[in-house]
């Protein structure tokens, strides 16, 4: 394949994630102690991911597909560093911007302007960058006259618009997207879709989870099919998508 | 870090050292210039020590600038890199906490001054006039206020940082940020209030001192206050690490801690003084026990500075620093061990 000559941006090797499902989780000191003495803590082990390996190359738009509970969100969380895998390793070459849930970290009592800086800092942008891009963010979100208002007075659509504008103002080397392409009204949906396309075509490496096969076919050049925590198939979009339908 | 940033960090380190030396020299000048029995002033030991430490620090900054060359890593370089990287985030989180705290109150920041002041008036009336627990302490009002300010600082820091991980669970499960940022920023934002409450403490001391008999004047030793606060801050960060990680696994800690901290408060001479136990049979163990109470040492550190107008004994610095370092070490070890499991329990 042509992509394989490119440099590797993400190398995921034998990643396993084990969850311990305690029969009923001990939420307090007393419960833990009493259980330790009576019957012992019972665990049911559950592998959300089992020996998952794949590489992502520079400029790839990689789609991750699979049924509910196949481990899609877990692998995204592991790649963005939020979770640590039980086994295996993830090597990252480049800065990652995860767009797992927009607007986490917003504070409802602060104004839109203050939230731009707070959320930007959480996403790892630096001060100078945010100052330079501040106008661009406000412009894109179309919130000019509301920007000094506290967020609790915003409508949910306005909050999503602000969150999207902050998250996509960077041009990250690796972008992780968990089905958030459409926010706001029809007009803003078009705009945000265009912005995503712009980001994806600009040489950014994208990891993309979706259940919408049309969207996957349209955007991705490679697809990883997860099934029950393992990689069922991976390869060029067309081949995998045709098989997935069956 | 780039070269320019390393140079900036080195500059900060050296300036901090200079400020520390200046504060200490001004604050403890009476003890430093005082002649010992042998007839030499302590400066003979102090000045070479300052020069030596300064020289070592300068050498260290040189090493920092060479960090990464020939694949060598200098100890502490990683620490400065993370601080540099997340400085903006810490700054943002602290301002958020501070803004939120007084956002909907009329008097706003003014509460930071007013609160300890009002608390002191209430406790002064109750303990001094109603219960008469002065215990022969001179300047009881100031004695009490020092205790209240330091204790409230500790209590505030530990309470806030205890909830820092569970309270930010929405963020922790969505974005990657080093988790120790959360307890540390909570302690920072709580300690802004401790800093602000120093202002009413000093003001009250000034005014009170003019009208009391014997008179009480602020001496240059107040320049040593930052050291006391720094010890407390480090101790609180350690405590915050410990409490916040326990809190994730056992929510009982929250309820247990309110009881424990109340017990701890009464076990610390805030409203009473140890001199009350002098000459009494069967209570000497309390005095012995107090040697192991870190808060007692921090509070008496501040009291010595303000009430006696002199620097605490050198051994007190060592004891306070040792408690802070020990607590910090315990806290960070527990936190590091647990932090990867947090996400599974949030």
């Amino acid at each position: 394949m042509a992509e394989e000559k490119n440099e590797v941006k993400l190398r995921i090797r034998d990643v396993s994630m084990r969850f311990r499902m305690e029969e009923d989780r001990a939420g307090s000191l007393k419960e833990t102690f009493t259980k330790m003495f009576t019957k012992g803590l019972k665990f049911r082990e559950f592998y959300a991911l089992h020996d998952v390996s794949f590489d992502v190359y520079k400029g790839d738009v990689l789609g991750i597909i699979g049924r509910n509970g196949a481990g899609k969100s877990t692998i995204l969380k592991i790649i963005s560093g939020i979770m640590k895998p039980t086994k295996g390793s993830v090597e990252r070459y480049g800065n990652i911007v995860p767009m797992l849930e927009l607007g986490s970290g917003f504070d409802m009592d602060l104004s839109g302007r203050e939230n731009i800086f707070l959320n930007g800092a959480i996403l790892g942008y630096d001060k100078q960058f945010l100052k330079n891009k501040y106008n661009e963010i406000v412009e894109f979100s179309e919130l000019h006259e509301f920007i000094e208002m506290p967020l609790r007075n915003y409508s949910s659509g306005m909050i999503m618009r602000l969150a999207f504008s902050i998250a996509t103002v960077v041009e990250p080397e690796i972008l992780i997207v968990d089905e958030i392409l459409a926010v706001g009204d029809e007009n803003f949906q078009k705009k945000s879709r265009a912005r995503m396309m712009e980001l994806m075509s600009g040489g950014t490496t994208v990891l993309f989870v979706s259940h919408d096969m049309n969207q996957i076919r349209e955007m991705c050049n490679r697809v990883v099919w997860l099934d029950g925590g393992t990689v069922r198939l991976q390869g060029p979009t067309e081949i995998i998508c045709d098989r997935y339908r069956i | 870090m780039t070269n320019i940033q390393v140079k900036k960090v080195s500059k900060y380190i050296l300036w901090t050292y200079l400020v520390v030396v200046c504060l200490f020299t001004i604050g403890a000048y009476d003890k430093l210039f005082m002649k010992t029995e042998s007839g030499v002033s302590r400066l003979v030991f102090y000045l070479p020590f300052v020069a030596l430490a300064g020289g070592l620090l300068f050498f260290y900054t040189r090493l920092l600038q060479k960090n990464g060359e020939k694949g060598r890593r200098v100890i502490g370089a990683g620490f400065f890199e993370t601080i540099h990287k997340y400085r903006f985030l810490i700054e943002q989180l602290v301002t958020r906490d501070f803004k939120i705290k007084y956002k909907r109150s009329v008097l706003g920041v003014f509460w930071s001054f007013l609160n300890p002041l009002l608390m002191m008036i209430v406790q002064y009336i109750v303990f001094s006039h109603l219960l008469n627990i002065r215990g022969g302490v001179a300047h009881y009002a100031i004695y009490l206020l020092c205790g209240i300010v330091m204790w409230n600082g500790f209590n505030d820091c530990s309470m806030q940082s205890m909830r820092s991980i569970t309270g930010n669970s929405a963020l922790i499960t969505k974005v990657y940020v080093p988790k120790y940022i959360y307890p540390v920023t909570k302690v920072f934002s709580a300690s802004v209030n401790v800093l602000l409450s120093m202002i009413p403490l000093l003001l009250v001391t000034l005014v009170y001192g003019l009208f009391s008999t014997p008179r009480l004047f602020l001496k240059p030793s107040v320049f040593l206050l930052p050291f006391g606060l720094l010890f407390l801050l480090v101790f609180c960060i350690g405590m915050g690490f410990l409490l916040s990680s326990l809190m994730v696994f056992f929510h009982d800690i929250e309820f247990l801690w309110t009881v424990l901290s109340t017990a701890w408060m009464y076990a610390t001479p805030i409203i009473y003084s140890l001199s009350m136990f002098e000459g009494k049979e069967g209570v000497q163990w309390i005095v012995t026990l107090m040697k192991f109470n870190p808060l007692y040492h921090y509070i008496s550190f501040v009291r010595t500075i303000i009430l006696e107008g002199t620097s605490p004994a050198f051994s007190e610095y060592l004891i306070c620093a040792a408690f802070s370092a020990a607590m910090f070490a315990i806290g960070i070890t527990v936190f590091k061990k647990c932090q990867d499991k947090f996400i599974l329990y949030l």
Side-chain angles (χ1 to χ4, degrees):
Chain A
M1 261 180 285
E3 300 94 67
E4 282 185 6
K5 286 174 196 135
N6 283 332
E7 58 178 300
V8 177
K9 279 290 177 188
L10 282 171
R11 182 172 282 146
I12 291 125
R13 282 286 170 272
D14 303 322
V15 165
S16 294
M17 187 74 209
R18 183 187 63 204
F19 288 106
R20 281 178 162 178
M21 301 206 298
E22 288 155 36
E23 299 292 66
D24 43 349
R25 194 156 76 183
S28 70
L29 268 176
K30 192 196 99 202
E31 280 174 43
T32 315
F33 279 121
T34 48
K35 277 193 183 134
M36 261 184 349
F37 287 119
T38 52
K39 47 185 175 174
L41 286 164
K42 276 185 189 164
F43 297 115
R44 206 147 48 86
E45 292 197 341
F46 164 73
Y47 278 88
L49 292 172
H50 208 112
D51 289 336
V52 172
S53 303
F54 57 89
D55 290 338
V56 187
Y57 301 94
K58 188 171 189 232
D60 262 359
V61 177
L62 180 83
I64 300 176
I65 55 174
R67 300 218 314 255
N68 280 333
K72 300 186 298 291
S73 298
T74 311
I75 191 79
L76 289 193
K77 281 189 176 175
I78 287 173
I79 291 170
S80 23
I82 298 166
M83 274 185 190
K84 218 177 171 185
T86 321
K87 201 166 68 71
S89 65
V90 178
E91 288 166 37
R92 309 172 182 87
Y93 305 94
N95 69 318
I96 297 185
V97 170
M99 289 170 58
L100 295 187
E101 196 158 308
L102 289 175
S104 31
F106 271 166
D107 198 299
M108 290 301 147
D109 276 327
L110 295 181
S111 71
R113 188 175 52 79
E114 288 164 325
N115 267 305
I116 288 178
F117 284 92
L118 177 63
N119 201 249
I122 288 167
L123 290 176
Y125 310 161
D126 64 44
K127 197 179 197 167
Q128 202 49 49
F129 177 82
L130 276 171
K131 273 186 183 159
N132 295 340
K133 294 280 184 174
Y134 175 75
N135 284 330
E136 196 179 310
I137 294 171
V138 178
E139 189 72 38
F140 194 87
S141 64
E142 302 167 9
L143 287 168
H144 304 279
E145 62 266 51
F146 308 109
I147 206 73
E148 297 295 341
M149 247 163 59
L151 229 61
R152 68 187 127 87
N153 297 343
Y154 280 31
S155 72
S156 52
M158 286 158 85
I159 292 176
M160 290 316 281
R161 262 151 58 191
L162 187 63
F164 184 90
S165 313
I166 300 169
T168 54
V169 73
V170 273
E171 266 152 38
E173 285 168 77
I174 305 165
L175 182 69
I176 297 183
V177 185
D178 194 353
E179 300 198 79
I180 39 100
L181 282 182
V183 295
D185 57 15
E186 203 180 329
N187 178 34
F188 196 79
Q189 277 185 26
K190 260 188 212 155
K191 211 166 119 181
S192 53
R193 192 178 292 261
R195 176 77 187 132
M196 290 299 293
M197 289 304 227
E198 190 189 323
L199 275 182
M200 290 181 181
S201 60
T204 307
T205 307
V206 184
L207 260 79
F208 178 60
V209 164
S210 181
H211 288 288
D212 185 348
M213 276 303 129
N214 293 330
Q215 220 170 43
I216 294 270
R217 278 175 190 272
E218 187 187 330
M219 291 176 146
C220 303
N221 65 330
R222 283 180 61 223
V223 169
V224 170
W225 175 7
L226 286 179
D227 189 25
T230 52
V231 178
R232 176 91 169 259
L233 274 175
Q234 57 171 316
T237 310
E238 287 306 314
I239 301 171
I240 307 293
C241 284
D242 289 344
R243 294 265 190 100
Y244 186 68
R245 283 220 173 142
I246 300 165
Chain B
M1 277 197 294
T2 63
N3 234 339
I4 304 163
Q5 286 159 348
V6 175
K7 283 213 171 111
K8 227 163 137 190
V9 169
S10 310
K11 212 170 75 185
Y12 282 139
I13 294 176
L14 292 177
W15 272 110
T16 316
Y17 180 68
L18 201 65
V19 170
V20 166
V21 169
C22 284
L23 283 178
F24 189 78
T25 315
I26 300 171
Y29 87 103
D30 55 332
K31 286 214 170 151
L32 285 174
F33 288 86
M34 195 174 63
K35 288 211 163 64
T36 48
E37 302 88 66
S38 49
V40 280
S41 88
R42 290 177 199 204
L43 282 176
V44 179
F45 308 105
Y46 178 63
L47 288 178
F49 176 77
V50 167
L52 184 69
L56 282 177
L57 264 183
F58 184 72
F59 182 64
Y60 179 70
T61 55
R62 279 290 112 107
L63 272 184
L64 263 187
Q65 288 173 16
K66 284 197 188 121
N67 181 43
E69 278 175 29
K70 299 171 205 153
R72 276 184 315 174
R73 301 280 297 165
V74 181
I75 307 163
F79 170 73
F80 289 115
E81 266 166 31
T82 29
I83 287 199
H84 181 81
K85 193 168 171 199
Y86 292 104
R87 188 189 44 179
F88 179 51
L89 177 61
I90 293 176
E91 184 191 307
Q92 283 295 318
L93 289 172
V94 171
T95 21
R96 173 192 66 172
D97 287 343
F98 197 71
K99 277 179 187 160
I100 293 302
K101 188 164 184 179
Y102 299 118
K103 193 102 193 174
R104 300 201 198 180
S105 61
V106 182
L107 291 178
V109 185
F110 199 59
W111 276 113
S112 280
F113 308 112
L114 211 57
N115 222 350
L117 205 63
L118 294 176
M119 282 296 278
M120 188 212 65
I121 292 171
V122 172
Q123 294 192 341
Y124 179 73
I125 292 170
V126 172
F127 295 116
S128 180
H129 291 281
L130 296 180
L131 295 175
N132 204 14
I133 322 184
R134 278 162 175 268
V137 180
H139 308 301
Y140 181 72
I142 305 303
Y143 179 89
L144 187 66
L145 187 60
C146 292
I148 293 173
V149 164
M150 288 297 273
W151 174 264
N152 280 353
F154 167 70
N155 202 27
D156 219 26
C157 288
S158 55
M159 282 288 189
Q160 299 269 342
S161 55
M162 182 171 71
R163 300 197 186 98
S164 61
I165 298 289
T166 43
N168 280 309
S169 60
L171 259 181
I172 292 171
T173 51
K174 301 283 156 35
V175 193
Y176 173 76
V177 170
K179 292 177 196 69
Y180 62 84
I181 296 274
Y182 299 108
V184 170
T185 45
K186 280 292 175 194
V187 173
F188 279 172
S189 44
S191 57
V192 172
N193 277 317
V194 185
L195 264 184
L196 288 178
S197 61
M198 283 295 135
I199 296 169
L201 172 63
L202 294 179
L203 277 181
V204 169
T205 313
L206 262 179
V207 176
Y208 170 91
L210 290 177
F211 298 102
S212 72
T213 42
R215 292 285 172 82
L216 175 67
F217 293 113
L218 285 178
K219 299 258 176 63
S221 60
V222 288
F223 286 106
L224 295 172
L225 272 181
F227 293 102
L229 294 180
L230 191 71
F231 291 138
L232 186 71
L233 181 78
V234 175
F235 185 80
C236 286
I237 292 176
M239 203 73 198
F241 278 140
L242 183 67
L243 288 174
S244 61
S245 38
L246 287 178
M247 177 83 172
V248 175
F249 304 108
F250 308 107
H251 282 249
D252 306 40
I253 294 293
E254 189 170 6
F255 309 110
L256 201 60
W257 180 248
T258 43
V259 179
L260 272 180
S261 66
T262 314
W264 196 345
M265 188 188 92
Y266 285 116
T268 310
I270 295 167
I271 46 178
Y272 58 90
S273 89
L274 283 186
S275 60
M276 282 163 63
F277 301 115
E278 266 169 28
K280 279 188 188 163
E281 285 295 313
V283 287
Q284 288 314 305
W285 60 272
I286 296 180
V287 182
T288 323
L289 197 68
M290 217 50 86
K291 287 186 186 129
F292 300 99
N293 181 353
L295 259 299
Y296 164 69
H297 290 283
Y298 298 137
I299 291 176
S300 32
F301 192 95
V302 171
R303 278 177 183 156
T304 314
I305 290 168
I306 289 181
L307 290 171
E308 291 169 31
T310 176
S311 161
F314 185 62
S315 60
E316 273 300 306
Y317 286 89
L318 287 185
I319 292 171
C320 288
F323 272 122
S324 302
M327 191 67 236
F328 189 79
I330 294 171
I332 198 129
T333 321
V334 172
F335 195 82
K336 268 197 159 171
K337 277 236 159 95
C338 304
Q339 62 174 351
D340 290 333
K341 287 191 207 144
F342 286 171
I343 184 140
L344 305 176
Y345 287 84
L346 283 173

